[in-house]
Amino acid sequence: MSARQGGKLRAGLIGLGAMGRNHARVLSGLDGVELVGIVDPLGDPNGLLRAPVLPELSELLALDIDYAVVACPTALHEPIGLELAAHGVSALIEKPLAQSVEAATRLVEAFESRGLVAGVGHIERYNPALQNLRSRLEAGELGEVYQVVTRRQGPFPHRIADVGVVLDLATHDIDLTSWVTGQEYASVSARTVSRSGRLHEDMVAAVGLLSDGTMVNHLVNWLSPLKERSTVITGDRGCFVADTLTADLTFYANGAIDTEWEALRAFRGVAEGDMVRYAIPKREPLLVEHERFRDAVEGKESDIVTLRQGLRTVEVAGCLVRSARDGVTIPIEGGTPR
C-alpha cells in the first residue's frame, strides 16, 4: 500500500491504556500520518485527544483507515487483529503478538494470506544503545560472543492482568537477544514463582543456548522497587553493557597492559582494560518504531519486526513457561536467524 495521493496515511489506534496513550501522542505528530480515530470502550476521560474516541472497532473501520496500532490487552490481539486483516487493514500489534503460539500463528496466516503489512511492537529494537551495540557486534568489535545476560525488573504494573511476566516482559529480552546477536534460541530452561498472589508468574530466571553456542541468561521480575533494564554481552575482547533506560552503551575491554603493582593486580585482576562510554544519538524508540512502520506501509524498504519474528518470540516464551512447569530443558526447533 502506498500513501494516498497528495495526502497522508490514515491511522487508527485501538486501546488507550498507558502504552496506548504514548502511541496516541506519537501518532498525533507523525509526519505523513493522520490519526483519524481511536477505539476504547472507556472513552477519553481527560478529553485531551484530538482524534475522536470510539466505542467499537466497526466505527473505526468505517473511517477508511490504512493501518491501525493495536495496544489493547494481549488477550484481545487475536480477535482484533483478525478483524483488521479481514478488512484489508495493516497493523502494528503491541508485543507480545498474542497470548499463545496458536493465536499468534493464526494472526501470521491472516495478514500474510492477504499480503498486508503487519509488525510487532518490540520497541527495544529501536533503543539507541541496542542499535549501536548490534552494529558493533556485526562489525566484529567483540570478537566471538560468549554470553548474553539481561536483567529486567521493576514494580508490578497493575494494568497487566491477562499474562505473566514471561509474556509481558521477558519477550523483550527474547526478541532483543535474537536480534542483537543474529541467532535463534536452540534450548531454554527456566524457573518461575508467583509471589504477588496473581494467577500468573511474576518472576522468572532463565538459561538458554543460542544456535551458535552462545549462553544466555535472563532475570525478569515484577517484584522489585528497583527498575532495571540491562543487557551485558561478553566476548573474547571484553564486554558491552547496554542500559536501555538511559540508552547508554559502555565497552569494557580486556586488559592489554600488564599491571606490575602486585598488590593492585591481586585486588583488581589482570584482565582489566580501557572503559569507553559511547556518545550516541538518542532518538525516542517509539517514534523510530512508528517511522519504520509508516515507511513499510508506504511500500518503502523498512526494518520492522515481522509477525513471524513475533511468533518466534511467543514460541520461545511458551517454552520458558513449559520448562518451569515441567522442570525440564526444552529444545527449540530450527528457525531463521534475524
Side-chain angles (χ1 to χ4, degrees):
M1 184 182 297
S2 60
R4 294 167 183 258
Q5 186 173 4
K8 298 180 176 181
L9 289 172
R10 295 171 63 82
L13 171 64
I14 300 156
L16 268 180
M19 197 63 199
R21 290 187 176 277
N22 279 316
H23 282 295
R25 170 181 56 81
V26 173
L27 281 167
S28 296
L30 188 61
D31 289 342
V33 173
E34 180 184 3
L35 178 59
V36 299
I38 301 168
V39 176
D40 195 296
L42 298 180
D44 176 23
N46 299 319
L48 300 177
L49 298 168
R50 287 179 282 177
V53 180
L54 312 167
E56 300 290 341
L57 178 57
S58 59
E59 296 181 53
L60 179 65
L61 292 170
L63 296 177
D64 191 26
I65 57 175
D66 295 299
Y67 74 93
V69 176
V70 180
C72 54
T74 304
L76 298 177
H77 287 187
E78 181 191 7
I80 288 174
L82 293 179
E83 189 166 355
L84 291 171
H87 284 80
V89 176
S90 295
L92 173 61
I93 303 173
E94 259 302 338
K95 65 86 213 157
L97 174 56
Q99 62 180 357
S100 70
V101 172
E102 294 76 14
T105 300
R106 288 189 287 268
L107 285 169
V108 170
E109 293 171 348
F111 283 94
E112 286 187 350
S113 65
R114 294 167 175 83
L116 296 168
V117 176
V120 186
H122 281 290
I123 194 171
E124 291 284 43
R125 290 206 192 186
Y126 307 102
N127 188 286
L130 293 177
Q131 291 208 327
N132 194 275
L133 171 55
R134 184 179 191 235
S135 296
R136 294 181 183 279
L137 291 180
E138 289 178 335
E141 293 186 20
L142 195 59
E144 182 182 355
V145 175
Y146 299 151
Q147 183 184 50
V148 180
V149 176
T150 69
R151 295 193 305 274
R152 186 175 297 271
Q153 61 181 345
F156 171 65
H158 294 283
R159 60 188 173 83
I160 304 296
D162 56 346
V163 296
V165 76
V166 172
L167 266 174
D168 185 70
L169 274 191
T171 45
H172 279 302
D173 297 303
I174 294 166
D175 180 76
L176 76 84
T177 296
S178 282
W179 176 72
V180 164
T181 62
Q183 302 295 322
E184 290 287 352
Y185 284 75
S187 67
V188 292
S189 178
R191 294 292 182 270
T192 61
V193 297
S194 180
R195 300 298 189 199
S196 58
R198 298 172 63 251
L199 175 63
H200 303 287
E201 79 285 344
D202 45 34
M203 175 178 284
V204 59
V207 177
L209 198 67
L210 300 183
S211 52
D212 66 347
T214 298
M215 179 187 295
V216 173
N217 300 85
H218 302 309
L219 295 176
V220 188
N221 77 70
W222 275 330
L223 300 175
S224 173
L226 169 66
K227 189 170 184 179
E228 184 180 29
R229 303 287 186 267
S230 170
T231 300
V232 180
I233 302 184
T234 303
D236 64 356
R237 296 180 184 172
C239 75
F240 284 108
V241 178
D243 182 333
T244 55
L245 283 176
T246 59
D248 288 328
L249 179 64
T250 305
F251 177 60
Y252 295 83
N254 288 338
I257 301 174
D258 191 28
T259 302
E260 296 183 12
W261 184 1
E262 289 297 330
L264 185 62
R265 179 164 62 182
F267 178 71
R268 303 187 69 170
V270 296
E272 188 178 70
D274 294 334
M275 181 186 74
V276 181
R277 184 172 175 180
Y278 298 104
I280 54 180
K282 295 183 180 180
R283 301 186 69 222
E284 182 185 1
L286 188 61
L287 173 59
V288 177
E289 178 180 84
H290 274 279
E291 290 174 343
R292 299 281 177 85
F293 192 76
R294 173 204 61 198
D295 292 348
V297 174
E298 289 181 336
K300 300 174 184 176
E301 186 171 344
S302 184
D303 181 20
I304 66 172
V305 185
T306 68
L307 291 197
R308 286 205 172 270
Q309 291 173 342
L311 167 61
R312 184 65 169 173
T313 295
V314 172
E315 289 173 339
V316 175
C319 290
L320 290 179
V321 174
R322 283 173 49 208
S323 171
R325 181 194 65 202
D326 300 338
V328 298
T329 297
I330 306 291
I332 303 174
E333 297 296 328
T336 304
R338 306 182 184 207

